[in-house]
Amino acid sequence: MDFTPSEEQSAARGLAARIFGDLSTHERLTAAGTGTDAELWKELCAAGLPAAVEDIGLLGLVLLLEEQGRTTAQVPFAATCVYGLLAVAEHGTPEQCERLLPGLRDGTVVATGAFPARARVHLAEDGALYGAVPWVPWLRDATHVLVADTDLALWIVAASPPGAEARAAGVTVETVETTAPWSAGRLVLDGVRGERLGNGPEAYAAVLATARTAFAGLQAGVCAGSLARAVHHTVTREQFGRPLSTNQGVLLRAADAHMDTEAIRVTAYEAAWRHDERRVCAAQALTAAWWASEAGKRVVHAGQHLHGGTGADLDHPVHRHFLWGRQLDAYLGCGGEVLEELGLLLAASAQGDAS
């Protein structure tokens, strides 16, 4: 097991760090509100970062998403790569790959996913999809949505943003605000005909595992950014003539947050590495998701707490990390749900080995 980034992965991460650091500033994030930073998205696509994911793999994507998380950059990078680029590349037919991948690489096609499946969408006898999903991240920017029906078959559905002059037939997108500013929307399908992707439940499980791994990487970055802000604050802020960082309670809280962040990172790396090596990674993806949920919320709470009264300011940059951390805590399954799923998976595996 070797998590050492390749030359290509390191170069892509360095480029991502520079772009996110230069453009995802507090001022620009404030101006963007809850929407997407369109200029930043164009810059990322012009630099070829979404396209690079095909070459650097899921581990490379996790490295890039760490850099996004550090700055809480408001772009549909994770969603487009997971539910679009990787999903089509791994489960699409040659015709689907030829038709869809070029747009996903250059950013003219923006994808998202109505995940995890909650038995909200069903396939009628006439082959049309019906149902509603209460919220889908980055839906207001998406041109395509990956939807799972009640039988866990995957469908690519064309979408259009709220207020668009030309709406996709049978698809309605309504603006929804979530804890984190993820340009989310409510998806309503009324007789829309989707495009089948992959081989049913197996493809769904694979995409969900990929999503959990990728968003765990995003959470690692969010936590690292929160902790970095807390460290800077406690080192530069003095109380009773000495920096706050010299207090034992502050040191212990920060140390715990650091260890939690590293646990999220290393479990995401392992799951991504196993995916790229074509090894079984279902349990590892669930492990990464559990750490991202349970440890992630501890870290962003600590980051805000270590800012003292400043952390109570809703306009302070650290509060954005708190919002993202709490959104990622529950997205794709909260800690308890993921742990139950992991337990069932391990029990089934042990029973299979015994038989």
Side-chain angles (χ1 to χ4, degrees), residues 44 75 89-90 103 111 121 127 151 171 183 199 203 218 273 287 293 300 321 331:
L44 290 169
V75 286
E90 294 179 5
V121 175
D151 294 323
V171 179
S183 194
N199 57 353
L218 184 61
W273 178 84
T287 301
S293 176
V300 295
H321 289 271
Y331 182 49

Side-chain angles (χ1 to χ4, degrees), residues 20-317:
F20 285 128
D22 289 347
L23 295 183
S24 186
T25 63
H26 177 58
E27 293 73 22
R28 287 177 62 89
L29 289 169
T30 301
T34 62
T36 295
D37 188 331
E39 182 179 341
L40 174 55
W41 178 240
K42 290 180 181 178
E43 187 71 20
L44 290 169
C45 296
L49 286 176
V53 172
E54 285 184 275
D55 297 322
I56 62 179
L58 183 55
L59 180 56
L61 176 59
V62 166
L63 296 174
L64 301 185
L65 293 177
E66 276 193 81
E67 300 305 327
Q68 179 185 0
R70 291 179 198 275
T71 59
T72 59
Q74 291 174 200
V75 286
F77 191 32
T80 293
C81 289
V82 169
Y83 302 121
L85 196 75
L86 291 178
V88 172
E90 294 179 5
H91 305 288
T93 64
E95 187 278 329
Q96 287 175 321
C97 291
E98 183 179 359
R99 174 166 45 86
L100 295 172
L101 287 180
L104 290 164
R105 292 173 185 139
D106 64 22
T108 54
V109 173
V110 176
T112 189
F115 275 61
R118 304 285 191 188
R120 296 188 176 108
V121 175
H122 69 275
L123 182 69
E125 292 182 0
D126 62 357
L129 296 169
Y130 294 84
V133 183
W135 77 277
V136 179
W138 307 108
L139 183 61
R140 298 188 329 243
D141 303 315
T143 59
H144 294 74
V145 187
L146 192 60
V147 178
D149 64 24
T150 51
D151 294 323
L152 301 185
L154 293 179
W155 301 88
I156 301 173
V157 174
S160 53
E165 293 183 5
R167 289 189 178 277
V171 179
T172 302
V173 175
E174 303 169 356
T175 297
V176 171
E177 300 300 346
T178 53
T179 300
W182 283 6
S183 194
R186 181 174 183 264
L187 177 67
V188 180
L189 304 177
D190 186 16
V192 65
R193 294 186 178 275
E195 180 180 352
R196 183 70 178 267
L197 181 72
N199 57 353
E202 290 184 10
Y204 168 78
V207 173
L208 180 57
T210 298
R212 282 170 164 160
T213 302
F215 281 95
L218 184 61
Q219 181 75 302
V222 169
C223 291
S226 174
L227 184 57
R229 292 187 182 278
V231 168
H232 179 267
H233 176 79
T234 56
V235 167
T236 57
R237 183 68 176 263
E238 292 190 355
Q239 187 179 57
F240 305 119
R242 62 178 186 175
L244 289 171
S245 60
T246 61
N247 293 319
Q248 187 178 40
V250 171
L251 289 171
L252 292 174
R253 191 79 188 275
D256 286 342
H258 171 74
M259 294 304 295
D260 272 338
T261 301
E262 289 302 301
I264 301 169
R265 177 182 289 114
V266 73
T267 52
Y269 283 6
E270 180 183 5
W273 178 84
R274 292 183 69 91
H275 171 276
D276 292 343
E277 292 294 316
R278 299 296 185 264
R279 303 191 182 194
V280 176
C281 59
Q284 287 75 17
L286 286 166
T287 301
W290 183 84
W291 277 103
S293 176
E294 292 295 311
K297 63 186 173 188
R298 288 197 297 265
V299 174
V300 295
H301 273 272
Q304 190 151 318
H305 186 203
L306 288 173
H307 277 76
T310 306
D313 182 358
L314 301 185
D315 295 324
H316 194 281

